[in-house]
Amino acid sequence: MWDNPEERLNKKVRRAARNGALSIGGGVGLFFMGMLYPHEEGADHIAKLFSNLSLVMILYGAVMLATIMFRRKLVPPINLLMTWLVLPTLILFLFSKAWTG
């Protein structure tokens, strides 16, 4: 299907750039949602979870966009590493810290 490896790399770079931009937007949205969340008695852990999760999403987007700008050839392995190892580990860590059970 892809005869030219440069076109294949460009498609993967475009997909990673889109995912990075959406992640930054979602992270900013979660950050504002954490600020606007009604701080009820005993529910501060939810607002803290929103802010920490937003920082993780912004980190993913920033790493992907920086990789695209400076190391274009490394985008597919970095995206794979971030998507399947780093992000799930950080999200599980955040939810395990915020669990109140």
Side-chain angles (χ1 to χ4, degrees):
M1 182 171 164
W2 295 99
D3 295 332
N4 190 356
E6 190 65 30
E7 281 185 45
R8 187 177 190 176
L9 178 65
N10 285 338
K11 182 179 178 185
K12 290 181 180 183
V13 167
R14 282 193 307 269
R15 185 178 299 144
R18 184 190 69 217
N19 290 344
L22 289 174
S23 177
I24 289 176
V28 169
L30 274 176
F31 181 74
F32 286 126
M33 190 171 184
M35 288 175 38
L36 298 175
Y37 185 79
H39 298 283
E40 299 172 0
E41 190 69 31
D44 291 334
H45 64 282
I46 295 174
K48 187 175 180 181
L49 178 66
F50 279 151
S51 64
N52 289 337
L53 192 58
S54 71
L55 291 177
V56 167
M57 289 179 68
I58 291 172
L59 172 78
Y60 167 73
V63 166
M64 289 314 303
L65 295 179
T67 305
I68 289 168
M69 288 190 319
F70 299 116
R71 297 287 184 171
R72 191 172 178 92
K73 297 275 187 194
L74 291 178
V75 169
I78 295 293
N79 189 27
L80 184 74
L81 180 73
M82 291 292 288
T83 303
W84 291 101
L85 184 68
V86 175
L87 285 179
T89 304
L90 287 174
I91 290 171
L92 285 174
F93 177 74
L94 289 178
F95 276 97
S96 68
K97 288 291 187 181
W99 193 263
T100 59

Coordinates of all heavy atoms in Angstrom, one line a residue:
M1 N 0.8 -1.2 0.0 CA 0.0 0.0 0.0 C 0.9 1.3 0.0 O 0.6 2.2 -0.7 CB -0.9 0.0 1.2 CG -1.8 1.1 1.3 SD -3.0 0.8 2.6 CE -3.6 2.5 2.8
W2 N 1.9 1.3 0.9 CA 2.8 2.4 0.9 C 4.1 2.1 0.2 O 4.9 1.3 0.8 CB 3.0 2.8 2.3 CG 1.8 3.3 3.1 CD1 1.0 2.6 3.9 CD2 1.3 4.6 3.0 NE1 0.0 3.4 4.3 CE2 0.1 4.6 3.8 CE3 1.6 5.8 2.2 CZ2 -0.7 5.8 3.9 CZ3 0.8 6.9 2.4 CH2 -0.3 6.9 3.2
D3 N 4.3 2.6 -1.0 CA 5.5 2.3 -1.7 C 6.7 3.2 -1.2 O 7.8 2.8 -1.2 CB 5.3 2.5 -3.2 CG 4.3 1.5 -3.8 OD1 4.2 0.4 -3.2 OD2 3.7 1.8 -4.8
N4 N 6.3 4.4 -0.8 CA 7.3 5.3 -0.3 C 7.4 5.4 1.2 O 6.4 5.7 1.9 CB 7.0 6.7 -0.9 CG 8.1 7.7 -0.7 OD1 9.1 7.4 -0.1 ND2 7.8 8.9 -1.2
P5 N 8.5 5.0 1.8 CA 8.6 5.0 3.3 C 8.5 6.5 3.8 O 8.1 6.6 5.0 CB 10.0 4.4 3.6 CG 10.7 4.2 2.3 CD 9.7 4.5 1.2
E6 N 8.8 7.5 3.0 CA 8.7 8.8 3.5 C 7.2 9.2 3.7 O 6.9 9.9 4.6 CB 9.4 9.8 2.5 CG 9.5 11.2 3.0 CD 10.4 11.3 4.2 OE1 11.4 10.6 4.4 OE2 10.2 12.2 5.1
E7 N 6.4 8.8 2.8 CA 4.9 9.0 2.9 C 4.4 8.3 4.1 O 3.5 8.8 4.9 CB 4.2 8.5 1.7 CG 4.2 9.5 0.5 CD 3.4 9.0 -0.6 OE1 2.2 8.5 -0.3 OE2 3.9 9.0 -1.8
R8 N 4.9 7.1 4.4 CA 4.4 6.3 5.6 C 4.8 7.1 6.9 O 4.0 7.2 7.8 CB 5.1 5.0 5.5 CG 4.6 4.0 6.5 CD 5.3 2.7 6.3 NE 4.7 1.7 7.1 CZ 5.1 0.4 7.0 NH1 6.0 0.0 6.2 NH2 4.5 -0.5 7.8
L9 N 6.0 7.6 6.9 CA 6.5 8.3 8.1 C 5.7 9.6 8.2 O 5.3 10.0 9.3 CB 8.0 8.7 7.9 CG 8.6 9.5 9.1 CD1 8.5 8.7 10.4 CD2 10.0 9.9 8.7
N10 N 5.4 10.3 7.1 CA 4.6 11.5 7.2 C 3.2 11.2 7.7 O 2.6 12.1 8.5 CB 4.5 12.2 5.8 CG 5.8 12.8 5.4 OD1 6.6 13.2 6.2 ND2 6.0 13.0 4.1
K11 N 2.6 10.1 7.4 CA 1.3 9.8 7.9 C 1.3 9.5 9.4 O 0.5 10.0 10.1 CB 0.7 8.5 7.2 CG -0.7 8.2 7.7 CD -1.2 7.0 7.0 CE -2.6 6.7 7.5 NZ -3.2 5.4 7.0
K12 N 2.4 8.8 9.8 CA 2.5 8.6 11.3 C 2.8 9.9 12.0 O 2.3 10.1 13.2 CB 3.6 7.6 11.5 CG 3.2 6.2 11.1 CD 4.3 5.2 11.3 CE 3.9 3.8 10.9 NZ 4.9 2.8 11.2
V13 N 3.5 10.8 11.4 CA 3.8 12.1 12.1 C 2.6 12.9 12.1 O 2.3 13.5 13.2 CB 5.0 12.8 11.3 CG1 5.1 14.3 11.7 CG2 6.3 12.1 11.5
R14 N 1.8 12.9 11.1 CA 0.5 13.7 11.1 C -0.4 13.1 12.2 O -1.0 13.9 12.9 CB -0.2 13.6 9.8 CG 0.4 14.6 8.8 CD -0.5 14.7 7.5 NE -0.9 13.4 6.9 CZ -0.2 12.8 6.0 NH1 0.9 13.4 5.5 NH2 -0.6 11.7 5.5
R15 N -0.5 11.8 12.3 CA -1.4 11.2 13.3 C -0.9 11.6 14.8 O -1.6 11.9 15.6 CB -1.4 9.7 13.2 CG -2.4 9.0 14.1 CD -2.5 7.6 13.9 NE -2.9 7.3 12.6 CZ -2.5 6.2 11.8 NH1 -1.6 5.4 12.3 NH2 -3.0 6.0 10.6
A16 N 0.5 11.5 15.0 CA 1.0 11.8 16.3 C 0.8 13.3 16.6 O 0.6 13.7 17.7 CB 2.5 11.5 16.3
A17 N 0.9 14.2 15.6 CA 0.7 15.6 15.8 C -0.7 15.9 16.2 O -1.0 16.7 17.1 CB 1.1 16.4 14.5
R18 N -1.6 15.2 15.5 CA -3.1 15.4 15.8 C -3.3 14.9 17.3 O -4.0 15.6 18.0 CB -3.9 14.6 14.8 CG -5.4 14.8 15.1 CD -6.3 13.9 14.3 NE -6.1 12.5 14.8 CZ -6.0 11.5 14.1 NH1 -6.2 11.5 12.8 NH2 -5.8 10.3 14.6
N19 N -2.8 13.8 17.6 CA -3.0 13.2 19.0 C -2.4 14.2 20.0 O -2.9 14.4 21.1 CB -2.4 11.8 19.1 CG -3.2 10.8 18.3 OD1 -4.3 11.1 17.9 ND2 -2.6 9.7 18.1
G20 N -1.2 14.7 19.7 CA -0.5 15.6 20.6 C -1.3 16.9 20.8 O -1.5 17.4 22.0
A21 N -1.8 17.5 19.7 CA -2.6 18.7 19.8 C -3.9 18.4 20.6 O -4.3 19.3 21.4 CB -2.9 19.2 18.4
L22 N -4.6 17.3 20.3 CA -5.8 17.0 21.0 C -5.6 16.8 22.5 O -6.4 17.1 23.4 CB -6.5 15.8 20.4 CG -7.2 16.0 19.0 CD1 -7.6 14.7 18.5 CD2 -8.3 17.0 19.1
S23 N -4.4 16.2 22.8 CA -4.1 15.9 24.2 C -3.8 17.2 25.0 O -4.2 17.4 26.1 CB -2.8 15.0 24.3 OG -2.4 14.8 25.6
I24 N -3.1 18.2 24.3 CA -2.9 19.5 25.0 C -4.2 20.2 25.2 O -4.5 20.7 26.3 CB -1.9 20.3 24.1 CG1 -0.5 19.8 24.2 CG2 -2.0 21.8 24.6 CD1 0.5 20.5 23.4
G25 N -5.1 20.1 24.2 CA -6.4 20.8 24.4 C -7.3 20.1 25.5 O -7.9 20.8 26.3
G26 N -7.2 18.8 25.5 CA -8.0 18.1 26.6 C -7.4 18.4 27.9 O -8.1 18.5 28.9
G27 N -6.0 18.5 28.0 CA -5.4 18.8 29.3 C -5.7 20.2 29.8 O -6.0 20.4 31.0
V28 N -5.8 21.1 28.9 CA -6.2 22.5 29.3 C -7.6 22.5 29.7 O -8.0 23.1 30.7 CB -5.9 23.5 28.1 CG1 -6.5 24.8 28.4 CG2 -4.4 23.6 27.8
G29 N -8.5 21.8 29.0 CA -9.9 21.7 29.4 C -10.0 21.0 30.8 O -10.8 21.5 31.6
L30 N -9.3 20.0 31.1 CA -9.4 19.3 32.4 C -8.8 20.3 33.5 O -9.3 20.3 34.6 CB -8.6 18.0 32.4 CG -9.3 16.8 31.9 CD1 -8.4 15.6 31.9 CD2 -10.5 16.5 32.8
F31 N -7.8 21.0 33.1 CA -7.2 22.0 34.1 C -8.3 23.0 34.5 O -8.5 23.3 35.7 CB -6.0 22.7 33.5 CG -5.4 23.6 34.5 CD1 -4.6 23.2 35.5 CD2 -5.5 25.0 34.3 CE1 -4.0 24.0 36.4 CE2 -4.9 25.9 35.2 CZ -4.2 25.4 36.2
F32 N -9.0 23.6 33.5 CA -10.0 24.5 33.8 C -11.2 23.9 34.5 O -11.9 24.5 35.4 CB -10.5 25.3 32.6 CG -9.5 26.3 32.1 CD1 -9.0 26.3 30.8 CD2 -9.0 27.3 33.0 CE1 -8.1 27.2 30.4 CE2 -8.1 28.2 32.6 CZ -7.7 28.2 31.3
M33 N -11.5 22.6 34.2 CA -12.6 21.9 34.9 C -12.2 21.7 36.3 O -13.1 21.8 37.2 CB -12.9 20.6 34.1 CG -14.1 19.9 34.6 SD -14.4 18.5 33.5 CE -15.9 18.0 34.1
G34 N -11.0 21.4 36.6 CA -10.5 21.2 38.0 C -10.6 22.5 38.8 O -10.9 22.5 40.0
M35 N -10.4 23.6 38.1 CA -10.5 24.9 38.8 C -12.0 25.3 39.0 O -12.3 25.9 40.1 CB -9.9 26.0 38.0 CG -8.4 26.0 37.9 SD -7.6 27.2 36.9 CE -8.5 28.6 37.0
L36 N -12.9 24.9 38.1 CA -14.3 25.2 38.2 C -15.1 24.2 39.0 O -16.3 24.4 39.3 CB -14.9 25.4 36.9 CG -14.3 26.5 36.0 CD1 -15.0 26.5 34.6 CD2 -14.6 27.9 36.7
Y37 N -14.5 23.1 39.3 CA -15.2 22.0 40.0 C -15.6 22.5 41.4 O -14.8 23.0 42.1 CB -14.3 20.7 40.1 CG -15.0 19.5 40.7 CD1 -15.8 18.8 39.9 CD2 -14.8 19.2 42.0 CE1 -16.4 17.6 40.5 CE2 -15.4 18.1 42.6 CZ -16.2 17.3 41.8 OH -16.8 16.2 42.3
P38 N -16.8 22.2 41.8 CA -17.3 22.7 43.1 C -16.5 21.9 44.2 O -16.7 20.7 44.3 CB -18.8 22.4 43.1 CG -19.0 21.4 42.1 CD -17.9 21.6 41.1
H39 N -15.8 22.6 45.0 CA -15.0 22.0 46.1 C -15.9 21.7 47.3 O -16.0 22.5 48.2 CB -13.8 22.8 46.5 CG -12.9 23.1 45.4 ND1 -12.0 22.1 45.0 CD2 -12.7 24.1 44.5 CE1 -11.2 22.6 44.0 NE2 -11.7 23.8 43.7
E40 N -16.5 20.5 47.2 CA -17.3 20.1 48.4 C -16.5 19.5 49.5 O -15.3 19.2 49.3 CB -18.3 19.0 47.9 CG -19.3 19.5 46.8 CD -20.1 18.4 46.2 OE1 -19.9 17.2 46.7 OE2 -20.9 18.7 45.3
E41 N -17.1 19.4 50.6 CA -16.3 18.9 51.8 C -15.9 17.4 51.5 O -16.8 16.6 51.2 CB -17.2 19.0 53.0 CG -16.5 18.6 54.3 CD -15.5 19.7 54.7 OE1 -15.7 20.9 54.4 OE2 -14.5 19.3 55.3
G42 N -14.7 17.1 51.6 CA -14.2 15.8 51.4 C -14.0 15.4 49.9 O -13.8 14.2 49.7
A43 N -14.2 16.3 49.0 CA -14.0 15.9 47.6 C -12.9 16.7 46.9 O -12.9 16.9 45.7 CB -15.3 16.2 46.9
D44 N -11.9 17.1 47.7 CA -10.8 17.8 47.1 C -9.9 16.9 46.3 O -9.2 17.4 45.4 CB -10.0 18.5 48.2 CG -10.7 19.6 48.9 OD1 -11.5 20.2 48.3 OD2 -10.4 19.9 50.1
H45 N -10.0 15.6 46.6 CA -9.1 14.7 45.8 C -9.5 14.6 44.3 O -8.7 14.4 43.5 CB -9.2 13.3 46.4 CG -10.5 12.6 46.4 ND1 -11.5 13.0 47.3 CD2 -11.0 11.7 45.6 CE1 -12.6 12.3 47.0 NE2 -12.3 11.5 46.0
I46 N -10.8 14.9 44.0 CA -11.2 14.9 42.6 C -10.7 16.1 41.9 O -10.2 16.0 40.8 CB -12.8 14.9 42.6 CG1 -13.3 13.6 43.2 CG2 -13.3 15.0 41.1 CD1 -14.8 13.5 43.3
A47 N -10.7 17.3 42.5 CA -10.1 18.4 41.9 C -8.6 18.3 41.7 O -8.0 18.7 40.6 CB -10.4 19.7 42.7
K48 N -7.9 17.7 42.6 CA -6.5 17.4 42.5 C -6.2 16.4 41.4 O -5.3 16.5 40.7 CB -5.9 16.9 43.8 CG -4.4 16.8 43.8 CD -3.9 16.4 45.2 CE -2.4 16.3 45.1 NZ -1.8 15.9 46.4
L49 N -7.1 15.4 41.3 CA -7.0 14.4 40.2 C -7.1 15.1 38.9 O -6.4 14.8 37.9 CB -8.0 13.3 40.4 CG -8.0 12.2 39.3 CD1 -6.7 11.4 39.4 CD2 -9.2 11.3 39.5
F50 N -8.1 16.0 38.7 CA -8.2 16.7 37.5 C -7.0 17.5 37.1 O -6.5 17.4 36.0 CB -9.4 17.7 37.5 CG -10.7 17.1 37.3 CD1 -11.9 17.6 37.9 CD2 -10.9 16.0 36.5 CE1 -13.1 17.1 37.7 CE2 -12.2 15.4 36.3 CZ -13.3 16.0 36.9
S51 N -6.4 18.2 38.1 CA -5.2 19.0 37.7 C -4.0 18.1 37.4 O -3.3 18.4 36.5 CB -4.9 19.9 38.9 OG -4.5 19.2 40.0
N52 N -3.8 17.0 38.1 CA -2.7 16.1 37.8 C -2.9 15.4 36.5 O -2.0 15.2 35.7 CB -2.5 15.0 38.9 CG -2.0 15.6 40.2 OD1 -1.4 16.7 40.2 ND2 -2.3 15.0 41.3
L53 N -4.1 15.0 36.2 CA -4.4 14.3 34.9 C -4.2 15.3 33.8 O -3.7 14.9 32.7 CB -5.8 13.7 34.9 CG -6.2 12.8 33.8 CD1 -5.2 11.6 33.8 CD2 -7.6 12.3 34.0
S54 N -4.6 16.5 34.0 CA -4.4 17.5 32.9 C -2.9 17.8 32.7 O -2.4 17.9 31.5 CB -5.0 18.9 33.3 OG -4.3 19.5 34.4
L55 N -2.1 17.7 33.7 CA -0.6 17.9 33.5 C 0.0 16.7 32.8 O 0.9 16.9 31.9 CB 0.1 18.0 34.9 CG -0.2 19.4 35.6 CD1 0.5 19.4 37.0 CD2 0.3 20.5 34.8
V56 N -0.5 15.5 33.0 CA 0.0 14.3 32.3 C -0.4 14.4 30.8 O 0.4 14.1 29.9 CB -0.6 13.0 32.9 CG1 -0.4 11.8 32.0 CG2 0.0 12.8 34.2
M57 N -1.6 14.9 30.5 CA -2.0 15.0 29.1 C -1.2 16.1 28.4 O -0.8 16.0 27.2 CB -3.5 15.3 29.0 CG -4.4 14.2 29.4 SD -6.1 14.5 29.3 CE -6.4 14.7 27.6
I58 N -1.0 17.2 29.1 CA -0.2 18.3 28.5 C 1.3 17.8 28.3 O 1.9 18.2 27.3 CB -0.3 19.6 29.4 CG1 -1.7 20.2 29.3 CG2 0.8 20.6 28.9 CD1 -1.9 21.3 30.3
L59 N 1.8 17.1 29.2 CA 3.1 16.5 29.1 C 3.2 15.6 27.8 O 4.2 15.7 27.1 CB 3.5 15.7 30.3 CG 4.8 14.9 30.2 CD1 6.0 15.8 30.4 CD2 4.8 13.8 31.2
Y60 N 2.2 14.7 27.6 CA 2.2 13.9 26.4 C 2.2 14.7 25.2 O 3.0 14.5 24.3 CB 1.0 13.0 26.5 CG 0.8 12.3 25.1 CD1 1.6 11.2 24.7 CD2 -0.3 12.6 24.3 CE1 1.4 10.6 23.5 CE2 -0.5 12.0 23.1 CZ 0.3 11.0 22.7 OH 0.1 10.4 21.5
G61 N 1.4 15.7 25.1 CA 1.3 16.6 23.9 C 2.6 17.3 23.7 O 3.0 17.4 22.6
A62 N 3.2 17.8 24.7 CA 4.4 18.6 24.6 C 5.6 17.7 24.1 O 6.4 18.1 23.3 CB 4.8 19.3 25.9
V63 N 5.6 16.5 24.7 CA 6.7 15.6 24.3 C 6.5 15.2 22.8 O 7.5 15.2 22.0 CB 6.7 14.3 25.2 CG1 7.5 13.2 24.5 CG2 7.2 14.6 26.5
M64 N 5.3 14.9 22.4 CA 5.0 14.5 21.0 C 5.4 15.7 20.0 O 6.0 15.5 19.0 CB 3.6 14.1 20.8 CG 3.3 12.7 21.4 SD 4.6 11.4 21.1 CE 4.6 11.4 19.3
L65 N 4.9 16.9 20.4 CA 5.2 18.0 19.5 C 6.6 18.4 19.5 O 7.2 18.8 18.4 CB 4.3 19.2 19.9 CG 2.8 19.0 19.7 CD1 2.0 20.2 20.2 CD2 2.4 18.7 18.3
A66 N 7.3 18.3 20.6 CA 8.8 18.5 20.6 C 9.5 17.5 19.8 O 10.5 17.8 19.0 CB 9.3 18.5 22.0
T67 N 9.1 16.2 19.8 CA 9.7 15.2 19.0 C 9.5 15.4 17.6 O 10.4 15.2 16.7 CB 9.1 13.8 19.4 OG1 9.3 13.6 20.8 CG2 9.8 12.7 18.7
I68 N 8.3 15.9 17.2 CA 8.0 16.2 15.8 C 8.9 17.3 15.3 O 9.4 17.3 14.2 CB 6.5 16.5 15.6 CG1 5.7 15.2 15.8 CG2 6.2 17.1 14.3 CD1 4.2 15.4 16.0
M69 N 9.1 18.3 16.1 CA 9.8 19.5 15.7 C 11.3 19.2 15.6 O 12.0 19.6 14.7 CB 9.6 20.7 16.6 CG 8.3 21.3 16.5 SD 8.0 22.8 17.4 CE 8.9 22.6 18.9
F70 N 11.9 18.4 16.5 CA 13.3 18.2 16.6 C 13.8 16.9 16.1 O 15.0 16.8 15.6 CB 13.8 18.5 18.0 CG 13.5 19.9 18.5 CD1 12.7 20.1 19.5 CD2 14.1 21.0 17.8 CE1 12.4 21.3 20.0 CE2 13.8 22.2 18.3 CZ 12.9 22.4 19.3
R71 N 13.1 15.8 16.3 CA 13.5 14.4 15.9 C 12.4 13.7 15.1 O 11.8 12.8 15.6 CB 13.9 13.6 17.1 CG 15.1 14.2 17.9 CD 16.3 13.9 17.1 NE 17.5 14.4 17.9 CZ 18.7 14.1 17.6 NH1 19.0 13.4 16.5 NH2 19.7 14.6 18.4
R72 N 12.2 14.1 13.9 CA 11.1 13.6 13.1 C 11.1 12.1 12.9 O 10.1 11.4 12.9 CB 11.0 14.3 11.8 CG 9.8 14.1 11.0 CD 9.8 15.0 9.8 NE 8.7 14.8 9.0 CZ 7.5 15.5 9.1 NH1 7.4 16.4 10.0 NH2 6.5 15.2 8.3
K73 N 12.3 11.5 12.8 CA 12.4 10.1 12.5 C 12.1 9.3 13.8 O 11.8 8.1 13.7 CB 13.9 9.8 12.1 CG 14.3 10.4 10.8 CD 13.8 9.5 9.7 CE 14.4 10.1 8.4 NZ 13.8 9.6 7.2
L74 N 12.2 9.9 15.0 CA 11.9 9.1 16.2 C 10.4 9.2 16.6 O 10.1 8.7 17.7 CB 12.8 9.7 17.3 CG 14.3 9.4 17.2 CD1 15.0 10.0 18.4 CD2 14.5 7.9 17.2
V75 N 9.6 9.8 15.8 CA 8.2 10.0 16.2 C 7.4 8.6 16.4 O 6.8 8.5 17.4 CB 7.4 10.9 15.2 CG1 5.9 10.8 15.4 CG2 7.9 12.3 15.3
P76 N 7.5 7.7 15.5 CA 6.8 6.4 15.7 C 7.2 5.7 17.0 O 6.3 5.3 17.8 CB 7.1 5.6 14.5 CG 7.3 6.6 13.4 CD 8.1 7.7 14.1
P77 N 8.5 5.5 17.3 CA 8.8 4.8 18.5 C 8.5 5.6 19.8 O 8.0 5.0 20.8 CB 10.3 4.5 18.4 CG 10.8 5.3 17.4 CD 9.7 5.7 16.5
I78 N 8.6 6.9 19.8 CA 8.3 7.7 20.9 C 6.8 7.7 21.2 O 6.3 7.6 22.3 CB 8.8 9.1 20.8 CG1 10.3 9.2 20.7 CG2 8.3 10.0 21.9 CD1 11.0 8.8 22.0
N79 N 6.0 7.8 20.1 CA 4.6 7.7 20.2 C 4.1 6.4 20.8 O 3.3 6.3 21.7 CB 3.9 8.0 18.9 CG 2.4 8.2 19.0 OD1 1.9 8.6 20.0 ND2 1.7 7.9 17.9
L80 N 4.7 5.3 20.3 CA 4.4 4.0 20.8 C 4.8 3.8 22.3 O 4.0 3.3 23.1 CB 5.2 2.9 20.0 CG 4.9 1.5 20.3 CD1 3.5 1.1 19.8 CD2 5.9 0.6 19.7
L81 N 5.9 4.3 22.6 CA 6.4 4.2 24.0 C 5.5 5.1 24.9 O 5.1 4.6 26.0 CB 7.8 4.7 24.1 CG 8.4 4.8 25.5 CD1 8.7 3.3 25.9 CD2 9.7 5.6 25.5
M82 N 5.1 6.3 24.5 CA 4.3 7.1 25.4 C 2.9 6.6 25.5 O 2.3 6.6 26.5 CB 4.3 8.6 24.8 CG 5.5 9.3 24.9 SD 6.0 9.8 26.6 CE 4.8 11.0 26.9
T83 N 2.3 6.1 24.4 CA 0.9 5.6 24.3 C 0.7 4.3 25.1 O -0.3 4.2 25.8 CB 0.5 5.4 22.9 OG1 0.6 6.7 22.2 CG2 -1.0 5.0 22.8
W84 N 1.7 3.4 25.0 CA 1.5 2.1 25.6 C 2.2 1.8 26.9 O 1.9 0.9 27.6 CB 1.8 1.0 24.6 CG 0.9 1.0 23.5 CD1 1.1 1.5 22.2 CD2 -0.4 0.4 23.4 NE1 0.0 1.3 21.4 CE2 -0.9 0.6 22.2 CE3 -1.2 -0.2 24.4 CZ2 -2.2 0.2 21.8 CZ3 -2.5 -0.6 24.0 CH2 -2.9 -0.4 22.8
L85 N 3.1 2.7 27.3 CA 3.9 2.5 28.5 C 3.8 3.6 29.5 O 3.3 3.5 30.6 CB 5.3 2.2 28.2 CG 6.2 1.8 29.4 CD1 5.8 0.5 30.0 CD2 7.6 1.8 29.0
V86 N 4.1 4.8 29.1 CA 4.3 5.9 30.0 C 2.9 6.5 30.4 O 2.6 6.6 31.6 CB 5.1 7.1 29.3 CG1 5.1 8.3 30.2 CG2 6.5 6.6 29.0
L87 N 2.0 6.7 29.5 CA 0.7 7.3 29.9 C -0.1 6.3 30.7 O -0.7 6.7 31.7 CB -0.1 7.7 28.6 CG 0.3 9.0 27.9 CD1 -0.5 9.2 26.7 CD2 0.3 10.1 28.9
P88 N -0.3 5.0 30.4 CA -1.0 4.2 31.3 C -0.4 4.0 32.7 O -1.2 4.0 33.7 CB -1.0 2.8 30.5 CG -0.8 3.1 29.1 CD 0.1 4.3 29.1
T89 N 0.9 4.0 32.7 CA 1.5 3.9 34.1 C 1.2 5.2 34.9 O 0.9 5.1 36.1 CB 3.1 3.8 33.9 OG1 3.3 2.6 33.1 CG2 3.8 3.7 35.2
L90 N 1.3 6.4 34.3 CA 1.1 7.6 35.0 C -0.4 7.7 35.4 O -0.7 8.1 36.5 CB 1.5 8.8 34.2 CG 3.0 9.0 34.1 CD1 3.2 10.2 33.1 CD2 3.6 9.3 35.4
I91 N -1.3 7.3 34.5 CA -2.7 7.4 34.8 C -3.1 6.4 35.9 O -3.9 6.8 36.9 CB -3.6 7.2 33.5 CG1 -3.4 8.4 32.6 CG2 -5.0 6.9 33.9 CD1 -4.0 8.2 31.3
L92 N -2.6 5.2 35.9 CA -2.9 4.2 37.0 C -2.3 4.7 38.3 O -2.9 4.6 39.4 CB -2.3 2.9 36.6 CG -3.0 2.1 35.6 CD1 -2.3 0.8 35.2 CD2 -4.4 1.7 36.1
F93 N -1.1 5.3 38.3 CA -0.5 5.9 39.5 C -1.4 7.0 40.0 O -1.6 7.0 41.3 CB 0.9 6.4 39.2 CG 1.5 7.0 40.3 CD1 2.0 6.2 41.4 CD2 1.7 8.4 40.4 CE1 2.6 6.8 42.5 CE2 2.3 9.0 41.5 CZ 2.8 8.2 42.6
L94 N -1.9 7.9 39.2 CA -2.7 9.0 39.7 C -4.0 8.5 40.3 O -4.5 9.0 41.3 CB -3.0 10.0 38.5 CG -1.9 10.8 38.0 CD1 -2.3 11.7 36.9 CD2 -1.3 11.7 39.2
F95 N -4.7 7.5 39.6 CA -5.9 7.0 40.1 C -5.7 6.2 41.4 O -6.6 6.2 42.3 CB -6.7 6.2 39.0 CG -7.5 7.0 38.1 CD1 -7.0 7.4 36.9 CD2 -8.7 7.5 38.5 CE1 -7.7 8.2 36.0 CE2 -9.5 8.2 37.6 CZ -9.0 8.6 36.4
S96 N -4.6 5.5 41.5 CA -4.3 4.8 42.7 C -4.1 5.7 43.9 O -4.5 5.4 45.0 CB -3.2 3.8 42.6 OG -2.0 4.5 42.4
K97 N -3.5 6.9 43.7 CA -3.3 7.8 44.7 C -4.6 8.5 45.1 O -4.8 8.9 46.3 CB -2.2 8.9 44.3 CG -0.9 8.4 44.2 CD -0.4 8.1 45.6 CE 1.1 7.8 45.6 NZ 1.6 7.5 46.9
A98 N -5.5 8.7 44.1 CA -6.7 9.5 44.4 C -7.8 8.5 44.9 O -8.9 9.0 45.3 CB -7.2 10.1 43.1
W99 N -7.6 7.2 44.9 CA -8.6 6.3 45.4 C -8.9 6.5 46.9 O -7.9 6.5 47.6 CB -8.2 4.9 45.1 CG -9.3 3.9 45.2 CD1 -9.6 3.1 46.3 CD2 -10.3 3.6 44.2 NE1 -10.7 2.3 46.1 CE2 -11.1 2.6 44.8 CE3 -10.6 4.0 43.0 CZ2 -12.2 2.1 44.1 CZ3 -11.6 3.5 42.3 CH2 -12.4 2.5 42.9
T100 N -10.1 6.6 47.2 CA -10.4 6.9 48.7 C -11.0 5.6 49.4 O -11.5 5.7 50.5 CB -11.4 8.0 48.8 OG1 -12.6 7.6 48.1 CG2 -10.9 9.3 48.3
G101 N -10.9 4.5 48.8 CA -11.4 3.3 49.4 C -10.5 2.7 50.3 O -10.4 2.3 51.3

